Amino acid sequence: MGERDRRALMWGGTLIVIAWLALRGGPQLFRGVAQMEEEVAQTGLYLSRVEDRLARSSSLGDSIAVLEASAELLPTALLAGEDALTAATDLMARVRERLGTEDVRILDFGAPTTVGRSGALALVMLTVRVETDFRTVIDRLRLIETATDMGVQAVHLVASNSEEVDQPERIEATLEVVGWFRLPAVADSAAPGITS
């Protein structure tokens, strides 16, 4: 084999390798690079999710401490008594305390009614009529709603026709306030998970 044949063979082999790379190897190489980029992006997304979960879990704190705090709060969140009348009396005192005497005149309390049950707990509702100005009603509603022991189910407002320009207009508000109380021990057998 002469020098010229060797050069022709070398050029032919080089052209074949270049053609193979252009037709087969190049696309596979580009696919492999694209696949690696996709895997890196997925790994980055996974890491950002893990970081987000870790950030949320650290903000939640220790779940045992949260449960202990909830268990300590439960007795103050329940009304006293094991019947609707006793619970309503306690609710009445708590509502009177939240409403206060400044700028609020309590007109009357309605009869209590039991409006719901959940296991060994029952929900009592009490209506209270007050006379005050609109801003005070909103402030007192906020006080009641942020309390853990009671909530407002409905509010009915009636404005009076006041002719006094210097004084804020007085309104009559009827609040339906609810609170949970514990049923007698007989009901505890139906809900063994709740203990005193």
Side-chain angles (χ1 to χ4, degrees), residues 27-196:
Q28 286 181 348
L29 181 67
F30 291 128
R31 254 186 260 125
V33 169
Q35 191 174 17
M36 284 185 356
E37 287 177 352
E38 186 178 327
E39 287 175 6
V40 168
Q42 286 178 352
T43 305
L45 182 63
Y46 174 73
L47 288 175
S48 68
R49 284 184 193 158
V50 169
E51 286 176 356
D52 185 45
R53 285 182 184 159
L54 287 174
R56 276 192 272 148
S57 68
S58 65
S59 68
L60 290 177
D62 188 10
S63 59
I64 294 174
V66 171
L67 288 175
E68 287 174 352
S70 299
E72 289 174 8
L73 185 65
L74 184 60
T76 60
L78 294 178
L79 300 172
E82 295 183 340
D83 59 65
L85 191 58
T86 311
T89 304
D90 185 28
L91 182 60
M92 189 183 303
R94 294 178 189 208
V95 167
R96 203 179 283 273
E97 179 185 333
R98 293 288 183 335
L99 291 175
T101 55
E102 188 177 322
D103 298 328
V104 176
R105 186 168 70 120
I106 298 175
L107 301 175
D108 66 3
F109 284 95
T113 56
T114 304
V115 292
R117 284 194 166 171
S118 176
L121 300 177
L123 188 67
V124 66
M125 183 179 75
L126 183 68
T127 59
V128 57
R129 281 188 329 121
V130 297
E131 184 184 69
T132 186
D133 61 276
F134 186 72
R135 179 175 289 157
T136 306
V137 167
I138 298 300
D139 289 342
R140 296 312 191 271
L141 282 173
R142 193 173 294 127
L143 278 176
I144 293 172
E145 275 297 308
T146 56
T148 58
D149 55 350
M150 68 180 86
V152 177
Q153 196 168 29
V155 179
H156 306 282
L157 301 174
V158 178
S160 63
N161 293 327
S162 176
E163 299 297 325
E164 298 178 28
V165 178
D166 296 340
Q167 296 292 326
E169 185 175 5
R170 304 291 284 179
I171 59 171
E172 185 178 301
T174 304
L175 312 175
E176 293 179 4
V177 185
V178 293
W180 290 98
F181 70 95
R182 188 176 175 80
L183 294 170
V186 176
D188 285 347
S189 62
I194 301 176
T195 58
S196 58

